[in-house]
Amino acid sequence: MVLESLTTFFIDCRGRGLCKRLISVVKATNVLGITFSEAFDKQPIELLQLLSLKAQDSFEEAHLLIQTHSMPAASIAQILAESFLKGLLAAHRGGYIDSQKEEGPAPLLWRFSDFLKWAELCPSESEIGHALMRLVITGQEIPHACEVELLILSHHFYKSSACLDGVDVLVALAATRVDAYVSEGDFPCLARLITGVGNFHALNFILGILIENGQLELLLQKYSAVTDTHTGTAQAVRGFRMAVLTSLKQFNPNDLDAFAMVYNHFDMKHETASLLESRAEQSYHMWFSRNNKDHTEDLLESMRYFIEAAEVHSSIDAGNKTRAACASASLVSLQIRMPDFQWLSLSATNARRALVEQSRFQEALIVAEAYGLNQPGEWALVLWNQMLKPELTEQFVAEFVAVLPLHPTMLAEIARFYRAEVAARGDQSQFSVWLTGGGLPAEWAKYLERSFRCLLKRTRDLRLRLQLATVATGFADVIAGCLKALDRVPENGGPLVLRKGHGGAYLPLM
């Protein structure tokens, strides 16, 4: 207290500096538990070394000591590095080095956060990087886990001080250490080194080694631990993600499970869905290559992948892609139920042929949705192909209108088909035989008319129904009914002439 009071009375160069130096020594003795004479006999750098061994309790005293005494930056950096190594060794023996939590070899300096705080005492960050790397070069029997932490911190200070030569030397040194790690199977240290340093361009070969040795999951776990401890920027995360994917494409391009792991880890929804669809296609192609088509495990797996892809698309509000994935899953289920016909991987022409040949609406809808044929123009041919089978047409149309609208252009096209066929093929022997495989039934005209009447009945718009009946020809009763409902005079009706009758009412003459 007396010395602190004296500093207020004395001025600079007149005793104030001496008082401050004495105060720093006194405070150091209080923390270290030694006498003032013992402390006074030691060099300031020696006191700093002793204080660094009680790092978690003596930061303020060390700060004051460095402020009041002149010490070379290289000496400060060396003391901090050696103290950190002692703390790392103790933490490694106690199994605390991976946790970076509160528990540990107190009061030693061993946590990253504590060391970064103490490093502020050194005026030169590059000197700290040199001191840490010098320990790696000259150190004997340093465990790999401790060595990696020294390299990571050294790179941090080289990078923050823009010491590019130091970065180059460190990368070269790390490359010489990699072989030793691999030979001993110490992949966790390799993963910690690449994720801790973060220089994915210069140390890209380490990513390749880890991926080739099946350590991708370990690599992602280590990176997650780093980003949780030191909040990673979006740019750093993108850099790591691209580096991992590039290495995967180079070393394991066919390992779809590995790609799925990376996509899920980084929440890459679009890529995940695309990969699932690719795996689904791969699965059903494997089923095609099998001789025994009764084994449908590959198809079930393919359907599962399509459903998972639809769920992923749905989570990012990709409605069209969700619908397409669901349609593909339904097509695979159709292949499972009806394995004798190939429903999957059809060309555009074959898909249209399969759609037209369907006599049941549910199967036709699955094919139309899966191949992008759910259009009015496509359905016109499907409905027309049912016209000679009135019972099937009625059921087909009933199911159709429960799901899809009867589009005017589609109905108009069917009406034109009807008129052209009836007009051009009035004779049964000349009627087109493409409608049925084995020729036409004897009462084809009756069947055709009955089927078209079914369509007219399902057309709720009276004006459209009138137009269709007029275009198709031969449906005078339908036309008359529509005209009556619309309260219209027929085109061949005469002028309306009224006369005044008894009681003043007007009666029509014509």
Side-chain angles (χ1 to χ4, degrees), residues 43-57:
Q43 294 294 324
I45 201 71
E46 295 175 329
L47 286 178
L48 178 62
Q49 187 174 20
L50 293 175
L51 289 172
S52 67
L53 296 177
K54 292 190 175 185
Q56 298 181 23
D57 303 324

Side-chain angles (χ1 to χ4, degrees), residues 270-284:
H270 293 283
E271 291 79 2
T272 298
S274 178
L275 179 63
L276 287 169
E277 291 172 349
S278 175
R279 301 187 79 165
E281 294 174 2
Q282 188 180 57
S283 295
Y284 69 65

